[in-house]
Amino acid sequence: MVTFLAGGTGTPKLLAGADDVFAPEDSTAVANTGDDVELAGHLVCPDLDTMLFLDGGELDRETWWGLADDTAETHDELHRLADAADLDTGLRYLAEDRQTAGRDIARWRRFSGVAEFMHIGDRDRAVHLTRTSLLDEGRSLTEVTRTLADAFGLDRTLLPMSDDPVATVVHTPNGPMHFQEWWVGRNGDPPVEDVEFRGGETATATDEVRSALSDPVVIGPSNPITSLGPMLALDGVRNALDEIPVVAVSPFVEDEVFSGPAADLMAGVGRDPSTAGVAESYPFADAFVLDDDDETPLSRPVVRTDTTLSDGADSARVARAVANALAEVA
């Protein structure tokens, strides 16, 4: 068995064509939930859903978000209504006292649904409605995720990192913002001054996650700060990673990032935005997979390949490099 830590699009892209290397039925994906938001009362779990839709064979692989060929009539109508009613269409947090009232799992990340700032497809919305309703019936996020995984026919075990609320909050010159506001709503602006994993000091990894962390772990080329940081903030996770073989794929080629906000976030928290900075962020990693053009000297074993992840053939190639690195440190 192998456990993948999944945040953002890095690990899903790694797994998109890796079934012949890492059989889904022999692996677990633990998904970051620090990015989750409550939008119009519905809990949206972007990283869980990317893995859910990927392994269910329905992910939109153009955007790596949502369901392929989904319609967006409800989303479009929300914007039409807001325009017709002359409602402010900017990002709309609920009032401060509403951020901690209601369901615990959505704490510190509650947005109004008026002219929603995230694009939610119609079928995608049905997933969020079902998830939220099952939570309100008293099930845990782990139980709800298992139910949705069964509905999508997953062979891989999919787990949320915790059943407790953790919210990734980006501190900026304009004040604190939830990660989704900063990245989706404001396109990664203003500059990052710090990143907080609110709730991480009291949240715990589930028993299922702790069990999964007894197997070798692979960290895909995800953002070390906001995709992996919330998981690493959970009590006991770093200690567990110290005890097992861990292989990480760098999202950089030396100091050039493949995609996303990793460089800005790493610089914002005082880490070098580079492969060297990733290695420093992962002291528990036993080996790394780097791009052929990445000559960063590391004190740990390195397997090099073309780490581009544009299609299934790319995923299979990088997955084989990961398997080789695991074999070296197992």
Side-chain angles (χ1 to χ4, degrees), residues 1-2 21-22 216-218 245-248 286-289 301-303 318-330:
M1 296 291 289
V2 176
V21 183
F22 297 106
V217 163
V218 173
V246 177
V247 170
D286 300 290
F288 284 85
V289 172
V302 170
V303 174
V318 179
R320 286 192 293 271
V322 169
N324 291 337
L326 276 175
E328 189 166 342
V329 298

Side-chain angles (χ1 to χ4, degrees), residues 92-173:
R92 301 165 68 108
Y93 274 106
L94 299 191
E96 187 172 351
D97 61 344
R98 296 286 304 281
Q99 292 297 316
T100 54
R103 64 183 68 89
D104 287 343
I105 193 64
R107 192 177 294 171
W108 307 303
R109 50 202 171 181
R110 293 190 162 98
F111 292 88
S112 167
V114 173
E116 60 189 13
F117 73 98
M118 298 178 75
H119 184 279
I120 308 291
D122 296 319
R123 292 180 59 218
D124 193 3
R125 195 180 307 275
V127 173
H128 308 321
L129 278 164
T130 301
R131 172 188 291 120
T132 308
S133 296
L134 291 173
L135 288 168
D136 288 346
E137 289 177 9
R139 304 192 196 189
S140 69
L141 184 58
T142 297
E143 292 169 333
V144 172
T145 301
R146 185 179 303 118
T147 297
L148 291 171
D150 289 344
F152 276 82
L154 267 63
D155 292 321
R156 195 185 329 271
T157 299
L158 177 61
L159 300 172
M161 70 182 198
S162 180
D163 287 330
D164 301 317
V166 178
T168 297
V169 177
V170 179
H171 291 265
T172 78

Side-chain angles (χ1 to χ4, degrees), residues 256-312:
E256 294 292 326
V257 70
F258 272 103
S259 64
D264 290 338
L265 288 160
M266 291 183 73
V269 300
R271 296 182 188 172
D272 188 35
S274 65
T275 290
V278 173
E280 185 178 355
S281 300
Y282 298 157
F284 44 77
D286 300 290
F288 284 85
V289 172
L290 305 185
D291 191 83
D292 287 326
D293 293 331
D294 191 334
E295 298 182 0
T296 303
L298 298 180
S299 60
R300 286 161 275 182
V302 170
V303 174
R304 285 182 168 84
T305 187
D306 178 355
T307 55
T308 304
L309 289 170
S310 298
D311 56 28

Side-chain angles (χ1 to χ4, degrees), residues 35-117:
D35 292 2
D36 297 2
V37 294
E38 188 179 284
L39 186 61
H42 306 146
L43 184 63
V44 181
C45 301
D47 291 346
L48 273 172
D49 286 343
T50 297
M51 285 303 308
L52 181 70
F53 301 157
L54 172 70
D55 281 343
E58 300 203 44
L59 179 67
D60 184 338
R61 297 202 190 186
E62 294 296 320
T63 61
W64 290 86
W65 161 259
L67 291 153
D69 303 319
D70 202 355
T71 57
E73 293 184 18
T74 304
H75 177 83
D76 293 343
E77 182 65 8
L78 283 168
H79 281 260
R80 189 198 69 77
L81 280 173
D83 288 340
D86 198 26
L87 294 169
D88 179 12
T89 58
L91 289 126
R92 301 165 68 108
Y93 274 106
L94 299 191
E96 187 172 351
D97 61 344
R98 296 286 304 281
Q99 292 297 316
T100 54
R103 64 183 68 89
D104 287 343
I105 193 64
R107 192 177 294 171
W108 307 303
R109 50 202 171 181
R110 293 190 162 98
F111 292 88
S112 167
V114 173
E116 60 189 13
F117 73 98

Side-chain angles (χ1 to χ4, degrees), residues 168-191:
T168 297
V169 177
V170 179
H171 291 265
T172 78
N174 294 355
M177 303 176 182
H178 188 276
F179 174 75
Q180 296 295 358
E181 175 183 357
W182 178 79
W183 179 237
V184 177
R186 301 185 185 277
N187 297 312
D189 187 66

